Amino acid sequence: MSITIRQAGTADVAAVASLFDLYRQFYEQRPDPELSRQFIFNRLSGRESVVLMAESSSSGLLGFCQLYRTFCSVEAQPIYSLYDLFVIPSARRSGLGRMLLLAAEEKAAREGKVRMDLTTARTNKAAQLLYESLGWIRDDVFLAYSRRVGELARSGL
């Protein structure tokens, strides 16, 4: 199977959004094709993210990764946050995830990013093995926190 990796444009919104909806379901979100389409459209049309697509001429879109431009304040340098990586189940273990990660790294290097960061679920062991096989280093020093906006106001604090 011949695979092409390319950057998505607004003409690719429908195809990427269909996989993005599956990605969200993987993380236990309800299916919502319209939300997924609008989200991807907004990111691409506003140039807020970069989406790399893996596709074959015979099977169509098989996977994608989404990168957000951001910065590391400590290093005072630009970085990418690799927030989404998804390969359809029938194409997993084919090297597609590896190809997307390597394409993302190549793009980051060309654009002068000093590194890429990502997070994954603790239970996503397959992804962790892939990242580590490519030299990604798990952070055992820092803890990640998040908070839903508005909870402080609702709690009365």
Side-chain angles (χ1 to χ4, degrees), residues 91-151:
R92 291 185 184 150
R93 302 209 181 276
S94 68
L96 221 55
R98 177 178 297 273
M99 290 173 66
L100 284 163
L101 287 167
L102 291 172
E105 185 174 346
E106 183 180 304
K107 181 163 187 56
R110 275 193 324 269
E111 293 183 0
K113 307 297 189 236
V114 296
R115 75 167 196 258
M116 293 189 301
D117 290 343
L118 65 79
T119 59
T120 192
R122 291 183 188 268
T123 57
N124 196 346
K125 300 297 185 190
Q128 293 169 38
L129 288 172
L130 172 59
Y131 304 143
E132 291 171 11
S133 77
L134 290 172
W136 289 74
I137 299 168
R138 188 177 71 195
D139 184 342
D140 290 325
V141 177
F142 294 95
L143 298 174
Y145 290 84
S146 67
R147 181 170 173 80
R148 306 284 307 169
V149 174
E151 288 181 7

Side-chain angles (χ1 to χ4, degrees), residues 1 3 8-9 16 30 33 36 54 61 77 89 103 126-127 147:
M1 173 174 21
I3 303 295
V16 173
R30 289 185 184 169
S36 295
L61 185 58
Q77 296 290 325
R147 181 170 173 80

Side-chain angles (χ1 to χ4, degrees), residues 69-90:
R69 298 169 187 93
T70 189
F71 299 90
C72 173
S73 298
V74 174
E75 294 183 55
Q77 296 290 325
I79 65 172
Y80 265 141
S81 174
L82 194 156
Y83 207 89
D84 311 314
L85 175 65
F86 182 77
V87 173
I88 63 171
S90 63

Side-chain angles (χ1 to χ4, degrees), residues 8-66:
T10 53
D12 301 302
V13 166
V16 173
S18 66
L19 261 61
F20 184 72
D21 197 47
L22 294 173
Y23 165 80
R24 293 181 67 253
Q25 291 172 52
F26 179 83
Y27 282 103
E28 301 177 3
Q29 299 299 303
R30 289 185 184 169
D32 193 332
E34 180 52 28
L35 173 72
S36 295
R37 189 201 65 74
Q38 191 64 52
F39 184 85
I40 294 298
F41 174 78
N42 289 344
R43 300 299 73 74
L44 293 178
S45 65
R47 303 191 68 207
E48 296 173 344
S49 73
V50 172
V51 175
L52 299 178
M53 305 168 42
E55 57 191 352
S56 81
S57 56
S58 60
S59 302
L61 185 58
L62 301 171
F64 76 95
C65 70
Q66 184 162 213

